[in-house]
Amino acid sequence: MPYAITQLCCTDASCVAACPVNCIHPTPDEPDFGTTDMLYVDPRTCIDCGACAEACPVDAVLPVETLTGPLADHPAINAEYFAGTEPAAPAEGSPLFHDWGPVRFDRVLPADFPRLDVAVVGSGPAGMYTVQDLLLHTTARVTLYDRLPVTGGLVRFGVAPDHADTKRIGDSFARYLDHHRLRLRLGTEVGRDVDAGELAARHDAVIYAVGAPTSRTLGVPGEDLAGHLPSTTVVGWYNGHPEIAADAVPLDTERVAAVGTGNVALDIARILAADPDRLAGSAIAPGALERLRASLVREVVLLGRRGPEHAAYTRGELHALLRRDDLEVVVDDHDPRVGEAIDAAAPGEHAALLQGVPRSSEVPAGPRRRVVLRFHAPIEALLGDERVTAVRAGGVDLPAGLVVRAIGHRGRPTAGLPYAEETGTIPHHAGRVDGRPGTYVVGWIKRGPGGGIGRNRRDAAETVASLIEDGKYGVIGARPRRGGLLRRLTSM
Ligand SMILES: Cc1cc2nc3c(=O)[nH]c(=O)nc-3n(C[C@H](O)[C@H](O)[C@H](O)COP(=O)(O)OP(=O)(O)OC[C@H]3O[C@@H](n4cnc5c(N)ncnc54)[C@H](O)[C@@H]3O)c2cc1C
Ligand code: SF4
Ligand code: SF4
């Protein structure tokens, strides 16, 4: 019985190297890598050895026979990826092992490589993959800064609390926090407690992994009304973010409109519509759970600007939502283009994912809370006096007492560093910040707010490779050490 990868996959590719028969694809060398929602196991060649499951940091690979309930579709999803292809050939001369080629030790440092003192700013996935790479592959001493009193970034305060397996990647990062070459400086914000110039003067290199912490705005009238929140507030609220109050999300309304159709919009809809008893025991903040128990919300409507063929959610996340028995999912078919696009979609096309999902014209609202997918509904205005009472979308006014925009994130400038306003990123070449020798970037502030946790692993490898090259050529690492900054921060 083969294994299959589930939607928890964060595409870090740890399993690819573990598989002895090359049956997990796309591999980092293949063109599809980075464009698919997840990786897939080819059931035709999997030998059921379980090595992938051991390697996976988020328990996303499971034996097919254990995949039931929301995960029951995944064997077919894995197999579908390989439809029409030949199984990847095992290496010549060995039926069971890759042809790894000649052994290459990319990260062997020359004997005269300087012992670097590196600051990493930000402890989300990008910062932690960077810390891991530096500690495992160099002799650097690392100081990890974060503005919050706890590490984790979006793994802790973004990933939905009912995605326990995904959050578990935080445990594998946490191993490095006790490393003898790592010092932690939590509650220290660059730009507030220390400036970029000061950090640069005190470390041989500084790597910024500060993410993209702000929500993009709608740019429509009524945006300032109470009852309109960015996804960052709602997501932070249910994850217990220390800067977001337990009463930050008003749930005294029957309908919530969530603007956007990405996985974050799906997370928000699922948490707000779930049976609270199913969330008890998850990582949800106790204050949020208490309020969800008293919530008046009956319906969460996801508003997509375009049709179902352009919906931004991934297949795995949608499938998991559709299989929930504590909530109902319906497609709003008031616009005839929606039903037409779904019915006309060929198998494998994005709109085809909604074939078989009940349509709003066919099913009256029942006793369960429901999530409604409404397409061709571009936002035109938020309506209300002081607090939002309705959203105008696609020419229709839809009553809603809470509107959450989940249309993507944006970076923000860090004083003392360059910033590209158009992309919301720090301009760089292979992780080296333009015009700032010894300063580097990684993660969402480097490449923009897209891609899952695992994507940051390769990104960190690129940035650390640039830093090592700069160390080899003497661009960094020749400065006298002074302890003033750390003494000052420690005494704050
Ligand atoms: C709501 C949400 C849910 C997600 N769910 C998933 C999922 O289920 N699976 C998945 O694979 N991917 C998921 N992702 C994507 C994933 O979280 C990102 O790929 C990843 O977090 C980006 O990493 P990062 O380190 O660049 O940023 P972040 O995780 O945002 O980390 C940035 C860190 O920098 C710190 N920081 C910021 N500014 C400063 C400063 N000036 N000084 C000091 N510290 C600072 C912050 O406190 C934070 O700890 C999700 C994203 C979001 C928004
Ligand atoms: S069970 Fe073994 S053969 Fe199958 S995908 Fe995992 S590592 Fe590869
Ligand atoms: S999370 Fe990583 S190790 Fe796990 S299945 Fe996905 S790519 Fe493989």
Side-chain angles (χ1 to χ4, degrees), residues 467-486:
L467 178 145
I468 289 176
E469 200 172 280
D470 291 349
K472 281 182 188 167
Y473 291 103
V475 178
I476 56 174
R479 80 193 53 222
R481 294 196 198 297
R482 283 169 290 170
L485 173 64
L486 281 177

Side-chain angles (χ1 to χ4, degrees), residues 26-48:
T27 68
D29 305 333
E30 293 171 345
D32 275 3
F33 191 79
T35 65
T36 58
D37 299 338
M38 51 188 255
L39 304 196
Y40 307 91
V41 170
D42 188 340
R44 299 168 299 181
T45 45
C46 173
I47 57 165
D48 192 22

Side-chain angles (χ1 to χ4, degrees), residues 147-172:
R147 58 182 295 278
L148 294 177
V150 284
T151 58
L154 285 171
V155 170
R156 191 185 289 268
F157 296 120
V159 171
D162 56 346
H163 282 173
D165 292 323
T166 306
K167 281 193 180 286
R168 201 167 297 145
I169 198 163
D171 298 341
S172 59

Side-chain angles (χ1 to χ4, degrees), residues 67-320:
L67 297 176
T68 55
L71 300 178
D73 292 335
H74 283 81
I77 292 174
N78 279 244
E80 204 177 289
Y81 178 75
F82 300 95
T85 66
E86 290 297 318
E92 240 175 71
S94 163
L96 283 185
F97 290 93
H98 280 298
D99 176 7
W100 294 105
V103 180
R104 287 186 357 220
F105 294 105
D106 289 346
R107 293 292 173 80
V108 168
L109 304 176
D112 61 348
F113 191 80
R115 186 181 168 103
L116 298 173
D117 181 334
V118 181
V120 175
V121 184
S123 66
M128 291 313 298
Y129 278 124
T130 303
V131 164
Q132 172 180 316
D133 203 344
L134 287 168
L135 293 175
L136 294 182
H137 299 119
T138 76
T139 54
R141 285 188 307 158
V142 179
T143 308
L144 177 62
Y145 295 85
D146 202 290
R147 58 182 295 278
L148 294 177
V150 284
T151 58
L154 285 171
V155 170
R156 191 185 289 268
F157 296 120
V159 171
D162 56 346
H163 282 173
D165 292 323
T166 306
K167 281 193 180 286
R168 201 167 297 145
I169 198 163
D171 298 341
S172 59
F173 292 144
R175 287 178 296 161
Y176 297 100
L177 301 179
D178 292 332
H179 195 284
H180 65 280
R181 279 190 279 121
L182 184 89
R183 283 178 297 191
L184 265 181
R185 293 290 175 259
L186 299 179
T188 306
E189 180 170 334
V190 177
R192 181 190 65 189
D193 305 315
V194 53
D195 67 44
E198 207 172 351
L199 270 196
R202 301 297 171 154
H203 296 275
D204 297 314
V206 185
I207 304 177
Y208 286 89
V210 291
T214 53
S215 286
R216 290 178 55 205
T217 52
L218 294 171
V220 299
E223 185 138 30
D224 296 335
L225 288 171
H228 168 226
L229 298 175
S231 61
T232 43
T233 299
V234 180
V235 163
W237 166 78
Y238 60 57
N239 275 308
H241 193 293
E243 293 167 344
I244 298 173
D247 62 355
V249 180
L251 298 172
D252 54 349
T253 172
E254 292 208 350
R255 183 182 288 124
V256 176
V259 185
T261 57
N263 284 347
V264 174
L266 238 50
D267 281 349
I268 289 172
R270 190 181 67 252
I271 299 291
L272 294 186
D275 174 352
D277 283 342
R278 282 188 64 154
L279 295 170
S282 75
I284 193 162
L289 182 60
E290 196 184 310
R291 281 170 171 79
L292 283 169
R293 286 192 189 284
S295 164
L296 299 185
V297 173
R298 306 297 312 154
E299 183 173 283
V300 184
V301 183
L302 262 62
L303 297 170
R305 198 161 44 96
R306 297 187 288 167
E309 62 280 24
H310 298 293
Y313 46 68
T314 56
R315 181 165 53 171
E317 289 295 334
L318 180 71
H319 273 262

